[in-house]
Amino acid sequence: MQLSASRFAHVQRVAKVAVELAHQYGGDVQRADVAGLVHDYAKQRPDAEFKQLIQQEKLDPLLLQANNGIWHGVVGAEIIKRELGIHDAAILNAVRRHTIGDVNMTTLDKIIFIADFIEPGRDFPGVDQARAAAAQSLDAGVSFEVVHTLEFLLSKRARIYPKTIDTYNAWAAKP
Ligand code: GDP
Ligand code: FE
Ligand code: FE
Ligand code: FE
């Protein structure tokens, strides 16, 4: 087992919420379950492993200036492919996009992005609003989450990965 007990409990809750959202919104229930369970598979890997993979797999060089928050999804998908033998593109993309989203997102991408944010163990100011938005529509849930996450990162003066801005512009910025 490569995840702490609390992280494992989190991924189980994410899978459960993802399955519920898939039922509610006509998503792929089985993929939602699997993607929920594996989405944080690489979360507890050392930084050096991610940096090596970014170079080996010739991923976006800007990733080298990011951190675990970004890496465990974008680079984590490569680790899942190698170690778990999951080659399903839809599942791997949902993992890749679960932290920073993307300009274009599939129903499964949205489900995992949102389930990770609103699972019942989450307790941050705004989580109830996030749950209400997700109950309205997947797009409302994504839009709320994108703004909330960016505001949170700015309040900490965190470095923003460029794709996070692209996602914000696509989902939440006024025309
Ligand atoms: P978790 O893996 O279940 O804890 O949740 P996530 O995968 O959604 O989040 C990982 C972390 O990445 C969160 O703390 C986010 O705030 C953070 N994060 C998301 N986008 C960015 C970004 O552009 N820059 C930085 N520095 N962190 C980000
Ligand atoms: Fe994550
Ligand atoms: Fe998230
Ligand atoms: Fe997570």
Side-chain angles (χ1 to χ4, degrees):
M1 174 45 63
Q2 312 220 23
L3 294 178
S4 65
S6 63
R7 180 63 47 185
F8 186 60
H10 162 70
V11 303
Q12 287 181 303
R13 291 191 298 265
V14 170
K16 186 157 180 276
V17 173
V19 164
E20 287 165 5
L21 289 171
H23 280 299
Q24 189 179 343
Y25 289 114
D28 185 325
V29 172
Q30 274 184 310
R31 283 192 171 88
D33 192 15
V34 175
L37 286 174
V38 302
H39 81 281
D40 279 340
Y41 177 75
K43 183 94 180 180
Q44 288 161 332
R45 297 301 172 98
D47 290 357
E49 186 174 339
F50 289 118
K51 289 182 183 161
Q52 201 188 349
L53 265 174
I54 291 162
Q55 283 162 330
Q56 234 175 56
E57 299 286 331
K58 301 193 172 27
L59 302 178
D60 177 8
L62 282 175
L63 277 171
L64 290 170
Q65 289 153 54
N67 59 35
N68 175 281
I70 310 277
W71 290 335
H72 80 279
V74 179
V75 189
E78 306 305 320
I79 300 179
I80 289 169
K81 215 192 294 178
R82 289 179 179 202
E83 295 183 13
L84 301 183
I86 293 175
H87 291 268
D88 185 278
I91 291 174
L92 294 174
N93 277 329
V95 172
R96 283 191 187 100
R97 296 172 178 153
H98 90 265
T99 299
I100 55 177
D102 208 329
V103 170
N104 294 300
M105 295 171 77
T106 66
T107 297
L108 183 67
D109 296 340
K110 295 173 191 173
I111 285 173
I112 299 302
F113 187 70
I114 292 170
D116 186 31
F117 200 58
I118 66 167
E119 60 94 344
R122 295 293 197 199
D123 180 25
F124 54 81
V127 70
D128 288 331
Q129 262 175 288
R131 290 180 180 126
Q136 239 172 43
S137 70
L138 288 178
D139 287 359
V142 170
S143 175
F144 181 90
E145 178 172 343
V146 163
V147 172
H148 189 282
T149 300
L150 191 55
E151 283 176 343
F152 167 75
L153 291 167
L154 290 174
S155 77
K156 295 195 307 172
R157 294 291 181 274
R159 176 184 288 266
I160 309 297
Y161 182 59
K163 216 165 179 165
T164 302
I165 307 282
D166 294 339
T167 303
Y168 164 78
N169 281 330
W171 285 92
K174 297 203 169 129

